[in-house]
Structure formats: structure tokens, C-alpha cells
Amino acid sequence: MGSLEGRTALVTGAGRGIGRAIARRLAADGALVAVHYGSDEEAAQKTVAMIAEEGGRAFTVHALLGVHDDARTLYEGFDRGLKELGEPVALDILVNNAGFNVRGGVATVTPQDFDRLMAVLARAPLFLVQQGLPRLREGGRIVNISSAATRVAFTSALAYTMAKSALDALTRTLAKELGSRQITVNSVTPGFVRTELNKQRWATPEAEAAHAALSVFRRMGEPKDIADVVAFLASDDSRWVTGQCIDASGGTGL
């Protein structure tokens, strides 16, 4: 992996789970990391503390996504945090990771759940990119965390799948539009990853075994599995990869 020394990264939803693992890995590779959180400040501060213990640099940024002016609020905190550290207001790596899931098929999904999922998983990344572009330096990296649900039909996550599919469409379109600035844009699609977000789904050994069996490796994914792929896409080694959806599901559904 290429060194990220001298670069600044922003990871949304970095207080726990996949986002925390990504923030820690990018910091370990040398980046100064803005750890975004929506509601759990304690978890975000823990991520920053972990990065500091590992010899990295990070600071928190608070903004609730999926609401009016969410991108503006986030970047105000981002800019302020950089200035307080004496760093230039610039961005090299944007990781759109923040998200949640509301289960429901075609008979049970509600307009309210659909709107919330689209607002956080699709609309927020779009405007975070739009308002981040003046800060994003030449040769920057945008990585969107999508889902294997866009490839494998999970009927119990219809609205979630639709929102993540919109994120993949954003990835391809942005890759073409931003190529002239040598900015790469890619998606990473995890499968079932052992995090706090969905831990009730595999709370028993039987449930975990059932989910693990969907991967060709017969195990659950770990946040580090996803973070390592993101680190590659954030590095110089990925300079010739753009507009792609990189499957990091452990072969789920093959």
C-alpha cells in the first residue's frame, strides 16, 4: 500500500464498525483523519483515542446526515477542525460510509423509511461530494461504501438496496466527471460483516453460522476486511481504477 503521509481523509460514520476500521487503517497509513459521527460522540472520541494510541492523527466532526444543510454543517466542522490543528483546509480522501438499515420487503416498507434511507445513503454522499469538491485536491480519492445487496437479491432489505444502488450509480457518473482532475471514484460492497449495527441478526451460534455459510470462506466478514480494500483504493496503487464496484463480500451468493 502507498503511504498516505501529508493527506487528509474524511470518513463518515467512523464512530464504530466498518467506519472505525477504515479510519484506523487510513491513519495507520499516515493520513490525518476526520472522524465523522452523527449522534454518538463518545464512540467517535474512542476512535480518535485508538488512532492516537496507534501513533496516528485524527479529530472528530459532528453532523447529522439526512437533514437540511447536513453537508454544510459537516464541512463547517471539518474546516474548523483543520484550522485548529494548523492544517490547510483541504481534502484528499472522502469515504462515504455512514449508514443504517431498515428491514422490509415490498409489502412492509414505508414511505418514511424509504425517504430516510435515501436521504442518508444516497443524497448525503452526493452533496458531500458536491460541497467537498472545492476542498478536494487533484488526484483525490472518493470511496463509497455500498452493499452486496445490490448484486444479491435480499427481499427483506428492499429500500436499503435501492438506496445503495443509487450510490453505485453516483460512483460511476462521478468517476467519469472527475477523471479530468485525476480523482478516482469507486464503491466497495461488503457482505455480512460482524459489527454492532446488525449484531442481533447473528446473536446465536446458529444464526451466525447461517450468515457465514453464504460466503465461500464460511465465515463472517470483519471490519478490517473492508478497511484493507478501502486503503488500497485510497492509495496511489489504485490510480488506474475508477468507476468500479469492488466486491468485498467474501464471495457471498456465488
XYZ file of all heavy atoms in Angstrom, residues 17-68:
374
model
N -17.628 0.123 14.073
C -17.788 -0.805 12.976
C -16.828 -0.587 11.814
O -15.631 -0.354 11.986
N -17.369 -0.686 10.600
C -16.558 -0.555 9.396
C -15.914 0.821 9.320
O -14.737 0.950 8.963
C -17.420 -0.825 8.145
C -17.847 -2.296 8.103
C -16.663 -0.467 6.869
C -18.835 -2.621 6.993
N -16.664 1.869 9.661
C -16.123 3.220 9.607
C -14.931 3.403 10.527
O -13.929 4.033 10.156
N -15.015 2.852 11.730
C -13.889 2.944 12.667
C -12.673 2.211 12.105
O -11.545 2.715 12.177
C -14.271 2.353 14.020
C -13.091 2.224 14.985
C -13.511 1.659 16.318
N -14.181 2.679 17.117
C -14.805 2.440 18.264
N -14.864 1.189 18.738
N -15.373 3.414 18.950
N -12.883 1.025 11.558
C -11.767 0.250 10.999
C -11.114 0.997 9.841
O -9.883 0.997 9.700
C -12.258 -1.120 10.548
N -11.921 1.641 9.000
C -11.381 2.420 7.884
C -10.562 3.600 8.402
O -9.444 3.854 7.924
C -12.514 2.908 6.969
C -13.182 1.735 6.251
C -11.994 3.926 5.951
C -14.454 2.094 5.511
N -11.115 4.324 9.367
C -10.403 5.480 9.925
C -9.065 5.059 10.511
O -8.027 5.710 10.298
C -11.263 6.170 10.973
N -9.056 3.961 11.249
C -7.813 3.481 11.864
C -6.792 3.068 10.807
O -5.596 3.364 10.934
C -8.110 2.309 12.803
C -8.892 2.686 14.038
C -9.247 1.480 14.880
N -8.050 0.840 15.443
C -8.085 -0.320 16.107
N -9.236 -0.962 16.270
N -6.972 -0.831 16.591
N -7.243 2.408 9.757
C -6.315 1.952 8.726
C -5.730 3.137 7.958
O -4.520 3.178 7.675
C -7.015 0.986 7.773
C -6.166 0.561 6.586
C -4.856 -0.101 7.032
N -3.899 -0.126 5.938
C -3.794 -1.118 5.050
N -4.603 -2.156 5.120
N -2.884 -1.056 4.099
N -6.560 4.113 7.593
C -6.054 5.272 6.861
C -5.072 6.066 7.718
O -4.054 6.558 7.214
C -7.211 6.159 6.402
C -8.202 5.532 5.408
C -9.259 6.546 5.006
C -7.480 4.974 4.183
N -5.373 6.183 9.006
C -4.456 6.869 9.913
C -3.148 6.101 10.048
O -2.061 6.685 10.087
C -5.104 7.057 11.282
N -3.230 4.772 10.104
C -2.022 3.948 10.194
C -1.151 4.118 8.955
O 0.082 4.003 9.033
C -2.401 2.488 10.377
N -1.784 4.413 7.815
C -1.042 4.634 6.581
C -0.540 6.070 6.465
O 0.054 6.431 5.445
C -1.918 4.303 5.376
C -2.072 2.803 5.189
O -1.414 2.034 5.913
O -2.858 2.387 4.310
N -0.814 6.892 7.481
C -0.232 8.231 7.526
C -1.177 9.391 7.338
O -0.769 10.550 7.473
N -2.448 9.138 7.035
C -3.385 10.236 6.803
C -3.843 10.879 8.109
O -3.947 10.209 9.140
C -4.605 9.730 6.038
N -4.112 12.165 8.046
C -4.837 12.853 9.114
C -6.314 12.590 8.856
O -6.817 12.897 7.768
C -4.548 14.355 9.073
C -5.430 15.261 9.933
C -5.320 14.912 11.410
C -5.098 16.721 9.683
N -7.023 12.020 9.835
C -8.383 11.539 9.594
C -9.421 12.343 10.376
O -9.314 12.482 11.598
C -8.515 10.046 9.961
C -9.936 9.551 9.687
C -7.510 9.205 9.173
N -10.414 12.845 9.655
C -11.584 13.462 10.274
C -12.600 12.357 10.534
O -13.089 11.721 9.596
C -12.176 14.529 9.370
N -12.892 12.123 11.800
C -13.795 11.055 12.225
C -15.192 11.652 12.395
O -15.496 12.301 13.396
C -13.299 10.424 13.543
C -14.306 9.402 14.072
C -11.928 9.767 13.336
N -16.047 11.424 11.409
C -17.408 11.973 11.484
C -18.311 11.073 12.308
O -18.196 9.842 12.284
C -17.999 12.123 10.079
C -19.487 12.265 10.101
N -20.336 11.184 9.919
C -20.295 13.335 10.336
C -21.587 11.583 10.013
N -21.601 12.881 10.272
N -19.237 11.713 13.029
C -20.282 10.971 13.737
C -21.569 11.781 13.693
O -21.561 13.002 13.539
C -19.879 10.703 15.193
C -19.831 11.931 16.083
C -20.907 12.274 16.899
C -18.708 12.762 16.099
C -20.867 13.399 17.704
C -18.658 13.889 16.905
C -19.733 14.204 17.698
O -19.705 15.329 18.499
N -22.683 11.059 13.826
C -23.982 11.719 13.798
C -24.572 11.950 15.164
O -25.130 13.016 15.435
N -24.434 10.965 16.070
C -25.075 11.112 17.379
C -24.215 10.625 18.535
O -24.354 11.124 19.654
C -26.417 10.360 17.399
O -26.223 8.986 17.088
N -23.331 9.676 18.317
C -22.578 9.069 19.415
C -21.177 9.675 19.511
O -20.206 9.145 18.954
C -22.496 7.556 19.214
C -22.032 6.825 20.465
O -21.406 7.464 21.325
O -22.290 5.606 20.569
N -21.077 10.779 20.229
C -19.785 11.457 20.361
C -18.770 10.584 21.088
O -17.581 10.563 20.736
C -19.947 12.781 21.111
C -18.641 13.546 21.268
C -18.803 14.866 21.996
O -19.919 15.144 22.491
O -17.806 15.612 22.076
N -19.229 9.856 22.092
C -18.314 9.014 22.864
C -17.632 7.975 21.977
O -16.418 7.734 22.098
C -19.073 8.315 23.999
C -18.191 7.468 24.893
C -18.958 6.811 26.026
O -20.171 7.082 26.176
O -18.345 6.023 26.777
N -18.392 7.367 21.075
C -17.814 6.364 20.173
C -16.796 7.006 19.238
O -15.729 6.422 18.977
C -18.921 5.689 19.374
N -17.114 8.203 18.727
C -16.176 8.887 17.829
C -14.897 9.265 18.567
O -13.787 9.126 18.026
C -16.835 10.125 17.237
N -15.034 9.739 19.800
C -13.849 10.084 20.582
C -13.009 8.835 20.862
O -11.767 8.914 20.909
C -14.260 10.751 21.903
C -14.873 12.128 21.753
C -13.865 13.192 21.323
O -12.683 12.926 21.127
N -14.340 14.428 21.192
N -13.657 7.708 21.021
C -12.920 6.461 21.230
C -12.116 6.108 19.982
O -10.965 5.648 20.082
C -13.870 5.319 21.582
C -13.152 4.016 21.887
C -14.105 2.919 22.340
C -13.345 1.630 22.636
N -14.246 0.536 23.081
N -12.707 6.318 18.800
C -11.972 6.077 17.559
C -10.735 6.956 17.489
O -9.640 6.490 17.148
C -12.862 6.344 16.335
O -13.997 5.471 16.364
C -12.105 6.120 15.041
N -10.890 8.232 17.824
C -9.751 9.160 17.809
C -8.683 8.719 18.806
O -7.484 8.745 18.507
C -10.232 10.595 18.121
C -9.046 11.533 18.357
C -11.100 11.123 16.985
N -9.126 8.290 19.988
C -8.176 7.834 21.009
C -7.420 6.595 20.538
O -6.205 6.469 20.764
C -8.914 7.546 22.311
N -8.111 5.681 19.897
C -7.461 4.475 19.376
C -6.411 4.839 18.331
O -5.306 4.271 18.305
C -8.506 3.529 18.792
C -9.471 2.958 19.818
S -10.850 2.059 19.059
C -10.047 0.532 18.623
N -6.754 5.783 17.463
C -5.808 6.217 16.431
C -4.584 6.862 17.069
O -3.438 6.601 16.654
C -6.505 7.186 15.457
C -7.497 6.409 14.583
C -5.496 7.927 14.590
C -8.388 7.277 13.716
N -4.814 7.692 18.086
C -3.690 8.339 18.773
C -2.784 7.308 19.438
O -1.549 7.419 19.381
C -4.212 9.333 19.799
N -3.367 6.304 20.053
C -2.589 5.243 20.706
C -1.739 4.481 19.700
O -0.666 3.959 20.041
C -3.526 4.278 21.437
C -4.180 4.871 22.675
C -5.276 3.970 23.238
O -5.462 2.854 22.682
O -5.931 4.387 24.208
N -2.236 4.425 18.460
C -1.515 3.706 17.407
C -0.536 4.595 16.653
O 0.059 4.178 15.649
C -2.535 3.090 16.443
C -3.395 2.010 17.105
C -4.704 1.729 16.384
O -4.988 2.413 15.370
O -5.450 0.833 16.828
N -0.372 5.844 17.136
C 0.596 6.753 16.548
C 0.071 7.616 15.427
O 0.848 8.299 14.750
N -1.262 7.619 15.220
C -1.856 8.405 14.143
C -2.455 9.709 14.627
O -2.398 10.045 15.809
N -3.063 10.435 13.701
C -3.676 11.733 13.996
C -5.117 11.739 13.503
O -5.408 11.299 12.386
C -2.910 12.868 13.329
C -1.450 12.968 13.712
C -0.740 14.007 12.865
N -1.248 15.347 13.121
C -1.342 16.307 12.202
N -0.998 16.065 10.943
N -1.793 17.504 12.527
N -6.007 12.272 14.349
C -7.421 12.312 13.988
C -8.135 13.355 14.827
O -7.651 13.764 15.883
C -8.074 10.945 14.182
N -9.300 13.772 14.341
C -10.162 14.681 15.096
C -11.598 14.375 14.722
O -11.871 13.771 13.679
C -9.824 16.152 14.807
C -10.019 16.575 13.365
C -11.177 17.240 12.964
C -9.042 16.310 12.411
C -11.351 17.633 11.647
C -9.207 16.699 11.086
C -10.364 17.362 10.701
N -12.532 14.761 15.581
C -13.946 14.453 15.337
C -14.650 15.584 14.607
O -14.277 16.752 14.708
C -14.693 14.187 16.655
O -14.641 15.359 17.475
C -14.092 13.002 17.399
N -15.666 15.190 13.855
C -16.549 16.132 13.165
C -17.977 15.662 13.388
O -18.303 14.504 13.093
C -16.260 16.183 11.653
C -17.260 17.104 10.954
C -14.844 16.644 11.384
N -18.827 16.553 13.875
C -20.211 16.174 14.161
C -21.168 16.797 13.151
O -21.101 17.991 12.857
C -20.624 16.639 15.558
C -22.074 16.417 15.845
N -22.970 17.459 16.023
C -22.807 15.281 15.951
C -24.176 16.973 16.241
N -24.108 15.658 16.199
N -22.056 15.972 12.616
C -23.140 16.465 11.756
C -24.137 15.342 11.565
O -23.757 14.207 11.254
C -22.611 16.928 10.405
N -25.397 15.636 11.745
C -26.459 14.662 11.495
C -26.730 14.633 9.992
O -27.006 15.672 9.379
C -27.722 15.054 12.260
C -28.867 14.041 12.261
C -28.430 12.752 12.957
C -30.087 14.634 12.952
N -26.628 13.463 9.384
C -26.856 13.337 7.950
C -28.321 13.041 7.652
O -29.045 12.520 8.483
C -25.973 12.227 7.375
C -24.465 12.418 7.513
C -23.715 11.273 6.836
C -24.018 13.759 6.953
N -28.725 13.389 6.444
C -30.104 13.143 6.039
C -31.057 14.256 6.420
O -32.270 14.071 6.327
N -30.505 15.402 6.838
C -31.324 16.549 7.210
C -30.894 17.750 6.373
O -29.865 17.722 5.703
C -31.202 16.867 8.716
C -31.681 15.692 9.548
C -29.771 17.245 9.076
N -31.681 18.814 6.460
C -31.375 20.025 5.701
C -30.008 20.574 6.084
O -29.659 20.643 7.264
C -32.454 21.077 5.966
C -32.218 22.380 5.248
N -32.275 22.494 3.879
C -31.907 23.629 5.724
C -32.030 23.737 3.527
N -31.803 24.446 4.621
